[in-house]
Amino acid sequence: MIEKQNPITILCYLFFVIFITMFSTNPIMLGISFVSGILLYCILCGVKKTLVRLGYFIIFVAIIAIINPIFSRQGMTQLFWIGEFVVTLEALLNGVAIGVIFGSVIIWFGVLNVLLCSDKIIYIFGKFTPKIGTILSIALGLFPKYIVQYRKIDNNLKGLGLYDGASFLSKVKLKMHTLSTLITWSVEGAVLLSDNMSARGYDLKGKRVYGKYTFGVADGILLIVSLALGISILVFMGLGSGSFYYYPTFKQIVWDSSVWIYFATLVFMNILVVINLWEGAKWQFLKSKI
Amino acid sequence: MKKKFWFVLAIILCVMILAVGMSACSDNLGAKVGEVTIAIDCKTILQNRDKAEAGLIDNKLIPSDGIILKESIVDIFEKDNVLTVLKRICKQNKIHIDADSSYVKAINHIYEMSVGESSGWLYFVDGLQPNVGANQYKLKGGEKIVFAYTCVVGDLK
């Protein structure tokens, strides 16, 4: 069903999810966003890819968690001293939180990349800005091609035996050589591609884009729900509900009216997960048992 | 080759950590010159409590009378300046301080810009505000130093 959903609805929903993640500092909100993002990614791409992404995520968070205390001396809970400099628990955990914000946003963009393939992007942008739509779709389509081509060139070099017994420095030089070959290849490809596209009339005025996506009742419901929930969560966050600070020491999380914003976020971020699971269950139920 | 690279990296790291540690330990100040009095206050925050960050109020970091350190007498040495005196007295009285080699960011967890946009720490010697940084003001003995928190420009006159 998500594949058939109108791309504009999905873009709107993911836009709000990413915005809420970016502006929240509360660990509960961040945890909800991170877990929901991972869950959706896991459903869409499978466990193996998710584990690889989680590995990168952990490395990323660890790097920021180490870097933040180097620059920040704030916080009341002192862990240890390095010379004159104190390392505090607050600075460390603030680093972790910043890392989780970045990591969650990257995961949600991964979801966006899966859900909005290039013809969907052309469908969204094609109506009012055809040029930007074309450029975006080409740019997004090029990354996987580049990765495949990079591996091909690298394997060629390996096949020539240049890597055998090479020192660290010359290996780095070979990688640079691979990169430069890739760039030359891509520039050549771009010239060919643009010639092809203009031959097919891409730069003509009044060109329209074909899209097979319709705007149905389910799209309307999802659009209204995501607009209402997303805007209300952002407004309540702006009013100070679920606010949090790390310095001078962590704010005590109290279970008062701000519980509602956590609950709303939990519901909002898991809409697509629930839809997916529901579709799966329906499929299992309706499958013919003859 | 790879092993060598990591080995060199590890040695560089060790040297860096040692250098930081050594530079912190070597504070030879010279002979005693005299005495100064020093006080730290944040009375201006009392009138601007509504502007203060929630963390300051929740953790009760602003004293009810606005005085963080009462006027106290400190010995000064040959190489002392206002900043080193402040750092020493804060260490003695276990008051938190966040300052680099020239600028005081925070005393007692009250940071610059945490009570309004133009707030921060200023210092006065004998009631006047010097035109140089606290790390460049050399002390002769007998001065009266006050570190005060300003919330709005000109509220300390």
Side-chain angles (χ1 to χ4, degrees), chain A residues 71-78 82-85 167-169 245 247-251, chain B residues 1-2 5 17 20-21 24 53-56 58-59 61 87 96 98-99 105 109 111:
Chain A
F71 295 104
S72 175
R73 316 256 145 264
Q74 302 196 36
M76 286 170 101
T77 323
Q78 299 176 346
I82 300 173
E84 239 185 5
F85 303 114
S167 66
F168 179 74
L169 212 66
Y245 51 78
Y247 304 122
T249 190
F250 310 110
K251 186 182 178 180
Chain B
M1 191 66 202
K2 225 173 194 176
F5 175 73
I17 290 171
V20 169
E53 275 176 3
L56 292 181
D58 293 355
N59 291 299
L61 287 168
K87 279 184 181 173
H96 163 261
D98 185 353
K105 266 198 225 163
H109 297 288
Y111 271 79

Side-chain angles (χ1 to χ4, degrees), chain B residues 123-144:
Chain B
Y123 79 105
F124 296 84
V125 179
D126 295 330
L128 291 172
Q129 204 183 341
N131 281 329
V132 291
N135 63 327
Q136 284 173 11
Y137 196 99
K138 292 270 181 291
L139 292 165
K140 293 166 205 152
E143 287 103 331
K144 247 179 136 178

